[in-house]
Amino acid sequence: MKVSYFSWLRLKTGTAAEEIQLPEDCRTLSELVTHLTGRHPALGEIADARGAMRFTVNRRYVEGTHVLSATDEVGLFPPVTGG
């Protein structure tokens, strides 16, 4: 599975993208994000802000309840602010 980090999430994780094996205990996108915070602790503070991050799976916006497969491409987007 390919996981891509966009905008300043790249700085928080130290990478733009990575290939990972989908862990057996990760069925949904929310479970994957929890797993990824173990790999990238700085990601945890953003992930804990309910509804702050946006996600894509295979280039379509989805919610955290989306069920994943091992061949999906996941995109993580940080919250956006304006003013």
Side-chain angles (χ1 to χ4, degrees):
M1 161 177 289
K2 181 178 180 182
V3 179
S4 298
Y5 304 95
F6 292 90
S7 188
W8 52 267
L9 289 182
R10 291 177 177 178
L11 297 174
K12 292 283 188 181
T13 61
T15 186
E18 60 185 331
E19 292 282 337
I20 67 165
Q21 292 280 30
L22 181 62
E24 288 184 26
D25 61 341
C26 291
R27 295 191 57 226
T28 66
L29 187 53
S30 292
E31 292 169 340
L32 175 64
V33 171
T34 299
H35 171 75
L36 292 172
T37 62
R39 296 170 62 96
H40 306 288
L43 190 61
E45 63 195 51
I46 299 124
D48 287 342
R50 186 178 187 118
M53 288 181 27
R54 298 290 176 241
F55 315 104
T56 60
V57 175
N58 302 325
R59 299 182 185 205
R60 292 180 180 231
Y61 284 98
V62 297
E63 298 296 321
T65 57
H66 183 85
V67 177
L68 297 170
S69 74
T71 59
D72 285 336
E73 290 187 26
V74 174
L76 302 180
F77 296 83
V80 178
T81 60

